[in-house]
Amino acid sequence: MPGYILLEIRRTFRDTSFVVFGIGMPVLMYLLFTNVGSGDGDSAEWKTASMVGMAAYGALGASLSTGMGVAADKTAGWLRQLRVTPLAPSRVVTGRAVSGSATVLPAIAAVLAAGALVNGVRLDAWQWAALTVLLWAGALPFTLLGLGNGYRLGPQAMGVVNTACLMGLAVIGGLWFPLSAFPGWLASIAAYTPAHRFADLGWAVSHGSAPALGTVAVLGAWLLAFGSYAVVSYRRSARTV
């Protein structure tokens, strides 16, 4: 299993499109959102909040992109090869989730570095460390969602679904705009979305406090839901590939 994880990590980082869009795009969007347009971009508080939101967005995109590789593997016959190995379905999904989580870290680090070096965001050392670790660990549910989609869908359908999931979760979760800008009914729904609770891990730390137990509980529920979806999708793919 460790060898399988290292193999998948190397394959991901050899993908130029992942490096450019998965890591570079969130940084570009963050700098545009905080330095172009309204005067809110001059606020230190807005630059910090947007930094956390865009780091979460970058992690979300990198996590979901794991499913793109899975969909391509189905077409290439790699999944058939995995099924003749001793790896159980749960271990295959877990291994791919771990390798996918490793690719999330550069996307988070790039946005945080832009916040500190370009926008002058100032946090204590423990806050920077906690932000990185919590956003990294908290992205696991989305990696599992991407895997579930990848095992269930073909490459073309996966591209459409992946984009829809990324944009939908990011916008409704308040990663681009604060929930205070939403209508009341939509803000109530958005508060329980996985993307919002994910970013809330970082927002809490940026304000000097620990994440709320409710946030951890909601993310845990989404982790179980997406994990079950990924395992079921992998087993289902055995009947279609």
Side-chain angles (χ1 to χ4, degrees):
M1 190 170 172
Y4 172 57
I5 292 172
L6 291 175
L7 170 65
E8 295 300 343
I9 291 174
R10 288 196 298 268
R11 292 176 67 202
T12 301
F13 282 114
R14 282 199 294 261
D15 185 350
T16 305
S17 62
F18 168 78
V19 175
V20 173
F21 294 102
I23 299 176
M25 188 60 70
V27 173
L28 177 61
M29 293 178 65
Y30 168 58
L31 295 177
L32 287 175
F33 282 6
T34 53
N35 293 284
V36 177
S38 69
D40 289 342
D42 298 328
S43 166
E45 183 178 355
W46 164 241
K47 288 181 179 180
T48 301
S50 181
M51 178 188 72
V52 174
M54 292 310 300
Y57 172 71
L60 177 59
S63 298
L64 290 173
S65 69
T66 306
M68 298 293 292
V70 169
D73 286 347
K74 282 199 310 182
T75 303
W78 174 234
L79 295 188
R80 286 195 297 269
Q81 297 298 320
L82 283 177
R83 292 193 185 95
V84 301
T85 69
L87 289 174
S90 59
R91 292 175 67 83
V92 171
V93 173
T94 300
R96 196 66 186 255
V98 171
S99 66
S101 295
T103 63
V104 168
L105 194 55
I108 297 171
V111 176
L112 297 186
L117 300 177
V118 180
N119 279 349
V121 174
R122 294 293 177 261
L123 298 173
D124 292 337
W126 73 267
Q127 289 175 298
W128 289 114
L131 265 176
T132 303
V133 172
L134 286 176
L135 291 178
W136 179 39
L140 182 57
F142 307 106
T143 301
L144 293 170
L145 173 61
L147 289 177
N149 289 338
Y151 289 129
R152 186 170 291 268
L153 303 170
Q156 290 184 333
M158 182 62 201
V160 175
V161 172
N162 208 41
T163 302
C165 287
L166 176 60
M167 297 303 176
L169 288 171
V171 173
I172 298 177
L175 303 188
W176 292 358
F177 312 103
L179 295 194
S180 58
F182 290 11
W185 64 271
L186 183 57
S188 299
I189 296 173
Y192 291 94
T193 60
H196 179 74
R197 295 294 180 157
F198 171 47
D200 197 44
L201 295 174
W203 286 323
V205 169
S206 70
H207 287 94
S209 60
L213 290 178
T215 294
V216 176
V218 171
L219 270 180
W222 283 109
L223 174 64
L224 290 175
F226 292 153
S228 300
Y229 170 61
V231 172
V232 169
S233 296
Y234 177 76
R235 288 174 173 164
R236 178 180 178 274
S237 68
R239 301 192 298 268
T240 59
V241 177

